[in-house]
Amino acid sequence: MLMSVFGEHAVGGAERSAEKSALALVGEGHEVSMVSLASAGQSGSARTLPSGLRHITVPLAQVYDPYGLSGKKDAFNRQRPSLHKAVWHLADIYNPVMGSRLLDVWRTERPDLVMTHTLQGFSVAAWQAARQSGAALVHVIHDHALICPGTAMTRGSQVCQKTCSSCATFSRARQTVSRRPDALVAPSCAVLARHRQAGWFHDVADQRVIANCLAPGWPTARRAAPALGTRWCFGFLGRLDASKGLDTLLEAVRLLPDPDCHFHIAGPGDPSMARAFIAQHGLATRVTLDGPVDAAQFMAGIDVLVAPSRALETFCNVVMEAACLGIASIVSDRGALPERVAYGSGGWIVPAGDAVALAHALRLCLNDRPQVAARGEAAYQTRPDYEPARQGQAWSSVCEDALVRYRSA
């Protein structure tokens, strides 16, 4: 498996999902190595982790270290000129040095199959190296990096409804030097469709959706529906910025006349915007900023999750985790969010950025507890889809079919 960053350098849901899929395959009896980046100043290394997963690092050959692998991320990123950023993106279209380093690794390891998760830092040269090593190739989509250098198809709080001209140029350049995978996997129908619309992977016959899976040890007990007479508690868990719809939620809280509810807002990021809004509109008794939290503990204290993201979410783990506790969610209509609430049966869907519609959905929850309980039950019924054991079988099936297809070609 190939992943830009791993272990202590992991930064988000893609890394966690890739590690879960790796461990699921280990659980199915496969030998799995995770290859990730090391700082340009380091030498490569290989070690076997207690989980049975083998971890191999390859030094980064780029103009700067965007992941903080050298421990200098913050200082460097504050100073990096736009020229360095442009050079990074250009070199990351096809980086022959990284391709050569990967080929050396795979000639030593001799894998039957290479599964690429994120390519940033390696570039699509990783696909060429996999083919040269004689391995079958599976690619897993986690974001929009092949289409958009910024990976998220957003500019600030604005979502790109179509690929802009600069991103289209990068995307076409990558397609020109890419090799076709034997199979393609995405965590949602939405992100798979987005790549096909951008001209990617029309020649890949095996395209599958495998949802992210729960973390081992995720609580099994279903969250009890709020009892009559108790104060409602809504929760937001995500990065504290406009792309995740935090400003929409705060405006909806301001529009909501019913004071008999509370909002817990948690997650990483700068809380200054939220603090200023809360102070300006006198919402301190109704909104609490919790900062970074343990997800399971946070969800044990909420009745409904709110995920009003403007971004084209490729999956959204927090909505999945809430569903697997029997907690219904109010989500926006962007990306994969409607899929996570079973297109409405496990929650409510509102237009992204529409505070009035969100306030209306919050009001519906407050006024109809039986409906909240029913949708929470429907959400809970999706839990088997996210169990690690089922994921292991799904990933094994993809790998086995890709190997058969590659060897018979």
Side-chain angles (χ1 to χ4, degrees):
M1 288 192 177
L2 186 74
M3 191 81 203
S4 299
V5 287
F6 181 73
E8 64 181 355
H9 298 295
V11 293
E15 290 81 14
R16 293 193 297 272
S17 297
E19 183 174 8
K20 289 175 189 174
S21 64
L23 294 176
L25 285 167
V26 170
E28 290 288 305
H30 302 287
E31 295 180 20
V32 183
S33 296
M34 182 68 78
V35 179
S36 68
L37 294 168
S39 171
Q42 298 176 357
S43 58
S45 64
R47 62 193 178 109
T48 300
L49 305 178
S51 63
L53 186 66
R54 184 169 164 81
H55 183 210
I56 301 168
T57 61
V58 179
L60 176 65
Q62 261 283 14
V63 292
Y64 67 89
D65 172 9
Y67 298 110
L69 300 168
S70 63
K72 300 177 182 179
K73 177 181 178 182
D74 291 340
F76 190 91
N77 283 357
R78 283 195 298 269
Q79 301 173 30
R80 76 176 184 234
S82 58
L83 176 61
H84 283 187
K85 187 175 182 180
V87 172
W88 160 270
H89 288 311
L90 286 170
D92 211 41
I93 292 173
Y94 189 90
N95 189 327
V97 177
M98 293 306 297
S100 176
R101 291 177 181 180
L102 285 173
L103 183 57
D104 288 342
V105 170
W106 285 326
R107 281 177 171 164
T108 301
E109 297 294 318
R110 300 176 63 189
D112 297 298
L113 180 143
V114 169
M115 181 182 291
T116 56
H117 285 269
T118 56
L119 293 168
Q120 294 95 310
F122 293 107
S123 82
V124 294
W127 292 349
Q128 176 75 19
R131 287 300 190 218
Q132 289 178 310
S133 72
L137 177 63
V138 175
H139 180 60
V140 185
I141 299 172
H142 289 280
D143 53 28
H144 298 92
L146 291 173
I147 304 170
C148 168
T151 76
M153 293 190 71
T154 58
R155 290 180 182 272
S157 64
Q158 299 300 312
V159 174
C160 301
Q161 296 302 317
K162 62 180 182 179
T163 308
C164 66
S165 59
S166 61
C167 287
T169 299
F170 277 100
S171 181
R172 284 193 296 269
R174 284 194 176 96
Q175 289 182 53
T176 301
V177 292
S178 293
R179 300 299 295 269
R180 177 179 57 81
D182 298 293
L184 180 69
V185 178
S188 66
C189 295
V191 70
L192 197 57
R194 174 73 59 170
H195 279 74
R196 288 198 293 258
Q197 289 166 7
W200 282 90
F201 305 121
H202 288 292
D203 57 348
V204 179
D206 188 359
Q207 301 188 18
R208 309 189 194 189
V209 172
I210 300 179
N212 294 350
C213 70
L214 289 167
W218 188 252
T220 56
R222 187 186 161 193
R223 175 84 161 88
L228 290 174
T230 58
R231 193 183 192 196
W232 277 87
C233 186
F234 295 94
F236 170 99
L237 179 57
R239 196 169 61 251
L240 305 183
D241 64 36
S243 72
K244 294 297 184 180
L246 179 57
D247 57 336
T248 306
L249 174 58
L250 291 171
E251 177 63 16
V253 175
R254 186 187 71 80
L255 296 172
L256 195 66
D258 192 334
D260 194 25
C261 62
H262 196 81
F263 292 81
H264 280 277
I265 294 174
D270 183 359
S272 58
M273 180 276 289
R275 283 199 187 111
F277 189 97
I278 290 166
Q280 179 182 353
H281 297 284
L283 300 177
T285 60
R286 299 175 63 184
V287 181
T288 300
L289 298 176
D290 296 322
V293 296
D294 175 82
Q297 292 179 4
F298 177 80
M299 290 184 188
I302 67 171
D303 302 309
V304 175
L305 182 74
V306 187
S309 181
R310 287 188 180 87
L312 296 169
E313 300 289 348
T314 58
F315 185 77
C316 196
N317 282 323
V318 294
V319 176
M320 169 194 71
E321 291 165 345
C324 293
L325 296 174
I327 299 171
S329 296
I330 303 172
V331 304
S332 75
D333 57 357
R334 290 286 166 81
L337 286 169
E339 294 176 53
R340 297 285 72 75
V341 295
Y343 298 99
S345 64
W348 296 261
I349 304 169
V350 300
D354 192 333
V356 174
L358 180 54
H360 177 68
L362 294 168
R363 233 178 260 118
L364 287 176
C365 294
L366 292 171
N367 295 333
D368 194 346
R369 293 183 185 231
Q371 184 65 224
V372 172
R375 298 199 187 196
E377 175 61 29
Y380 191 68
Q381 294 305 311
T382 66
R383 179 168 181 140
D385 296 337
Y386 306 123
E387 291 290 354
R390 177 174 290 190
Q391 301 293 307
Q393 296 167 6
W395 286 109
S396 284
S397 174
V398 168
C399 294
E400 290 160 7
D401 291 349
L403 277 168
V404 170
R405 184 175 297 103
Y406 174 69
R407 288 170 176 171
S408 62

